[in-house]
Amino acid sequence: MDGDKTLAAEDTGALFWQTLAQNRLCLAKSSPLQELFSSSLGYSDTAFHQATLLYEAATDDEEATDDEQFEIMCDAVASSVIMRPDIISLLRLAADQRHVGALVVTCGLGCVWEKVLERHGLSKTVDVIGGGRISNGFVVTAAAKAAIVSQLRNAARLYVWAFGDSPLDLPMLKEADQAIVVVGDKQTRSSSMDEALSKAIHDEDFQARQVLLPSQSPLRLDEDKLPLVRLDDEQFVGSIMRHRRSVEILHATEKDAAKLLTSPTRDASVAGPALREAHGLVGRYLATEFVSLLIGLEEYTIPHVQGHHTIGHRLRNEHRTSIVALMRGGEDMAFGVNATFPRAMFIHATSAADIKRHHLDHQCTVILVDSVVNNGKTLMQFIEHVRDLHASIRIVVVAGVVQAEVVVEMHALAKLMGRHGASIVALRLSENKFTGTKTTDTGNRLFNTTHLA
């Protein structure tokens, strides 16, 4: 997370100079940083080093050491900063999760944000990277922010959400897995961010979402270009807190039910309608036994056969679930899943591009169904496409057979599913690496087209 105007509406740099001006009446009340960053230096590395020198000079006091004076000033500034309540709630929730970490990366005064977080009991769970003193040994620029996110994603292999409000945060937002633009009051927020966002979206296909803090703040751009999210939305917050380091996989390989259901699908003499029916039964079983376990159930009222009303159960948010049949092999299994969850949307997809944004808008879960997962390349295309269209939707893969090697931690598919919090449900895991062709191909057997292969 960025600091100024992201964690709070205030700009702590401006507050620093205002506070200093109140203490030393001879100083001008305007911030020299505004003049510095609007000069030809812009927001360059040189400009941020110059800002550090300005802070050093400002705290040169005969009555106290530089360090003491700087601490006094930072205390005074921190005491006037009001953190956004929704951000506080999010950071406290993250503090309760062992697998989630929070980091504030600010181009401003790191010391101020450390003190602000300490006031809210967050200093032990939220780290701060920020400059302000020569003794820090570094300055934080827009490029440094982006480099930190890149290091977390690529070297540490972490899934990174980035929150920022201004063009200085754009490089960091672009490097993150998920980018959230914090939008404040129109009078105080960055006036150049709209243009920078529009350019990034148009020229670089940059994808981000926006959160309004406070909630009555006017939108940046529009919801088509920058979809709106809320920090009090349980599904959205849940997508931030979700554990993504390992693939969640449920399978029935050693169950008697799997042995019975698998037999006709492996029988070379079974094809056409009989095989399609067998695949449909597999889909029903996996949906009932495992998908319902992964996603959970919800209660609803049903008329009882004895004339009164009672409680029935269905898939949680079933009406906000999209079932995607990966054609051709996944269709009949997907029909079986849909028979179990009849209120879900059904989509045919020959390729990932067949899934459109309107198939996922306002949905909670997407279920990708295929008969066999071999090397996982096709499935990876679908998962990446779905995540591009909808950043927080839950992804569940349903398959009859999955090659065991694609779900081990170091496989590309397993890594991708781990990053995006996807889960997989399978009738069985197989060590058999054989890929069917012609008469053994599942799609051809399902539709009696082996002679055309």
Side-chain angles (χ1 to χ4, degrees), residues 159 161 177-178 207 209 235 239 242 244 352 355 357 360 363-366 368 379-396 416-423:
Y159 194 90
W161 293 73
D177 291 288
Q178 302 290 342
Q207 296 186 8
R209 289 173 289 171
Q235 183 189 355
S239 68
R242 187 178 303 149
R244 288 177 165 84
I355 303 176
R357 187 177 296 276
L360 305 180
Q363 299 295 83
C364 293
T365 306
V366 60
L368 305 175
L379 191 55
M380 290 174 67
Q381 294 171 2
F382 274 85
I383 292 172
E384 288 177 328
H385 181 67
V386 166
R387 187 54 79 225
D388 285 343
L389 293 177
H390 195 309
S392 62
I393 195 168
R394 180 162 192 175
I395 301 173
V396 177
L416 183 71
M417 293 185 72
R419 285 182 66 82
H420 293 303
S423 308

Side-chain angles (χ1 to χ4, degrees), residues 67-97:
D67 289 342
E68 290 172 341
Q69 181 65 18
F70 188 78
E71 285 287 327
I72 292 170
M73 288 299 304
C74 287
D75 277 329
V77 173
S79 66
S80 61
V81 173
I82 303 173
M83 278 189 70
R84 303 186 192 274
D86 287 346
I87 295 288
I88 294 173
S89 297
L90 185 64
L91 290 175
R92 285 179 176 165
L93 185 59
D96 292 333
Q97 314 296 317

